[in-house]
């Protein structure tokens, strides 16, 4: 396994699942579960009174739209005792050519951590390289690691430990798919990715899988991918920043997750989607609203997973 790249001196960044070893990912999921359980007693019991991030401030920078990531980080921080500042790239001097490195240096003097959604992955790495506070990747064009931590947590709630299990991805090999690939390798589960060749994963990710071992196969046939899978995952055909919408719709039609495709997966397979969903495109109503769908558990678990991530970044260990 490569050395984790998530610590720079004493600063802990959450940039990609690939940077983590299995033990740390499992500990994060266990902590998220503890926070979820603690919340169940609230406000009637004594649970969830623990405020480990009291006095800490998270800056959130959104250069793109968000509902779940934005709200779940905000609420997570408040429930842990901290506060947030919400910023958009367009209202910061970033939009007037201040460098991301200088932005990192300045933010490091004011706040305790930064969560950023910016399509340019290299810029997020640059932010982290120049910050002396933790940086959390809230989605780039290349990955969405906070999402997939919550997804693994959700799978395990419904199906038990993910190690050795089989998951299928159908559709565009996008940022969420890349984080699933990282998770599969690090946590030791099988991943079958079905995408049209034009929208297949980047060669560098294939190389990473080869170098790190892991049971991940990249193919084109959705029926083959879902065979025996205990979880079928899908996502938007057109992600933020994609401009070739018509072409993508044409290429991805055959990858729609519908009742027929779900019937080819394992009996009682679950359906997952990070949301927002485009009903009638990557998934049909009967699947996303049906008994196999766990998409709103997934959305809820973002909140609990964000807490684990924030605590990991902000507490020394
Ligand atoms: N899944 C997800 O990240 O949703 P938002 O874009 O609404 O944050
Ligand atoms: N792949 C989608 C995920 C949205 C949460 C996008 O990047 O737009």
């Amino acid at each position: 396994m490569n050395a984790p790249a998530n610590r720079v001196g004493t600063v802990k960044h959450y940039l990609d699942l690939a940077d983590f070893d299995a033990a740390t990912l499992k500990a994060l999921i266990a902590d998220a579960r503890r926070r979820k359980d603690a919340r169940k007693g609230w406000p009637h019991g004594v649970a969830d009174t623990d405020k480990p991030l009291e006095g800490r401030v998270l800056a959130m920078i959104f250069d793109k739209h968000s509902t779940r990531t934005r709200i779940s980080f905000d609420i997570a921080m408040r429930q842990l005792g901290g506060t947030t500042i919400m910023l958009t790239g367009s209202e910061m001097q970033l939009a007037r050519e201040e460098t991301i490195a200088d932005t990192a240096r300045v933010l490091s003097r004011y706040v305790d951590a930064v969560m950023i959604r910016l399509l340019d992955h290299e810029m997020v790495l640059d932010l982290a390289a120049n910050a002396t506070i933790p940086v959390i990747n809230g989605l780039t064009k290349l990955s969405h690691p906070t999402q997939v931590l919550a997804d693994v947590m959700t799978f395990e709630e419904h199906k038990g430990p993910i190690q050795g299990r089989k998951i299928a991805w159908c559709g565009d090999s996008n940022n969420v798919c890349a984080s699933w690939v990282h998770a599969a390798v690090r946590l030791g589960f099988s991943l079958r990715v079905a995408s049209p060749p034009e929208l297949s994963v980047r060669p560098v990710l294939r190389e990473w899988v080869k170098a790190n071992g892991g049971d991940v196969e990249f193919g084109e046939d959705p029926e083959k991918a879902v065979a025996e899978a205990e979880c079928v995952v899908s996502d938007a055909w057109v992600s933020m920043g994609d401009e070739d919408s018509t072409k993508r719709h044409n290429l991805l039609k055959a990858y729609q997750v519908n009742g027929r495709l779900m019937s080819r997966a394992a009996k009682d397979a679950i359906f997952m989607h990070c949301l927002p969903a485009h009903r009638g495109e990557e998934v049909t109503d009967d699947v996303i609203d049906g008994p196999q769908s766990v998409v709103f558990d997934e959305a809820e678990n973002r909140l609990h997973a964000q807490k684990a991530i924030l605590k990991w970044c902000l507490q020394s260990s």
Side-chain angles (χ1 to χ4, degrees):
M1 196 192 72
N2 295 344
N6 49 25
R7 287 171 192 260
V8 182
T10 55
V11 182
K12 295 194 279 181
H13 299 302
Y14 188 91
L15 298 172
D16 259 321
L17 296 181
D19 302 336
F20 288 83
D21 58 25
T24 309
L25 291 176
K26 286 179 188 173
L28 283 168
I29 292 168
D31 194 35
R33 224 177 275 135
R34 268 194 300 277
R35 297 296 316 191
K36 184 173 185 174
D37 289 344
R39 195 77 196 157
K40 282 180 188 149
W42 188 259
H44 304 296
V46 288
D48 206 30
T49 51
D50 176 34
K51 305 287 177 214
L53 301 188
E54 202 138 28
R56 315 297 284 278
V57 180
L58 173 72
M60 301 202 280
I61 304 173
F62 281 93
D63 202 42
K64 287 286 162 192
H65 299 88
S66 172
T67 297
R68 282 143 288 267
T69 307
R70 174 181 174 141
I71 298 172
S72 59
F73 265 107
D74 196 357
I75 300 298
M77 200 61 192
R78 292 179 202 208
Q79 291 182 356
L80 292 173
T83 53
T84 58
I85 297 175
M86 185 76 71
L87 303 156
T88 62
S90 60
E91 71 200 5
M92 295 174 69
Q93 297 287 10
L94 267 174
R96 296 184 59 248
E97 292 169 20
E98 182 164 25
T99 67
I100 196 84
D102 283 351
T103 304
R105 294 176 187 119
V106 171
L107 286 172
S108 298
R109 304 290 179 109
Y110 295 143
V111 298
D112 297 286
V114 183
M115 197 282 301
I116 184 161
R117 172 167 288 191
L118 189 63
L119 295 186
D120 187 331
H121 193 85
E122 285 305 315
M123 273 180 86
V124 174
L125 298 184
D126 203 8
L127 179 77
N130 288 283
T132 53
I133 53 172
V135 173
I136 300 170
N137 170 3
L139 180 149
T140 68
K141 204 68 192 135
L142 299 189
S143 61
H144 196 2
T146 63
Q147 175 69 51
V148 175
L149 191 75
D151 293 351
V152 172
M153 174 185 176
T154 308
F155 176 91
E156 294 195 328
E157 275 178 356
H158 286 269
K159 294 284 185 190
I162 201 165
Q163 190 172 355
R165 313 292 281 277
K166 187 174 167 192
I167 315 292
W169 174 277
C170 293
D172 180 22
S173 300
N174 61 16
N175 43 9
V176 180
C177 176
S179 288
W180 271 102
V181 171
H182 292 153
V185 170
R186 290 295 183 242
L187 291 169
F189 60 87
S190 305
L191 183 67
R192 301 289 174 262
V193 178
S195 303
E198 294 86 342
L199 300 174
S200 186
V201 296
R202 298 178 311 138
V204 67
L205 189 56
R206 283 177 198 261
E207 291 308 314
W208 181 85
V209 170
K210 253 190 228 159
N212 287 274
D215 183 16
V216 181
E217 286 178 16
F218 302 104
E220 296 168 22
D221 182 347
E223 293 200 5
K224 195 169 162 214
V226 304
E228 292 168 26
E230 291 177 89
C231 173
V232 178
V233 193
S234 180
D235 186 15
W237 287 349
V238 183
S239 282
M240 292 180 276
D242 288 337
E243 282 165 2
D244 45 354
S245 170
T246 309
K247 183 177 157 210
R248 286 171 164 275
H249 277 81
N250 290 332
L251 288 171
L252 287 158
K253 266 193 187 94
Y255 294 81
Q256 180 185 70
V257 179
N258 49 35
R260 191 188 51 76
L261 190 63
M262 279 307 285
S263 73
R264 306 293 169 106
K267 189 176 170 295
D268 300 329
I270 54 174
F271 171 73
M272 295 180 74
H273 188 305
C274 66
L275 304 178
H278 306 81
R279 290 155 177 270
E281 296 185 12
E282 73 269 11
V283 60
T284 52
D285 282 338
D286 58 321
V287 171
I288 195 165
D289 296 329
Q292 289 167 284
S293 172
V294 298
V295 298
F296 297 109
D297 291 343
E298 238 183 305
E300 177 187 336
N301 284 339
R302 297 294 305 280
L303 170 63
H304 310 297
Q306 316 304 31
K307 288 184 188 172
I309 293 165
L310 288 164
K311 283 177 62 195
W312 181 84
C313 286
L314 285 164
Q315 292 184 312
S316 51
S317 63

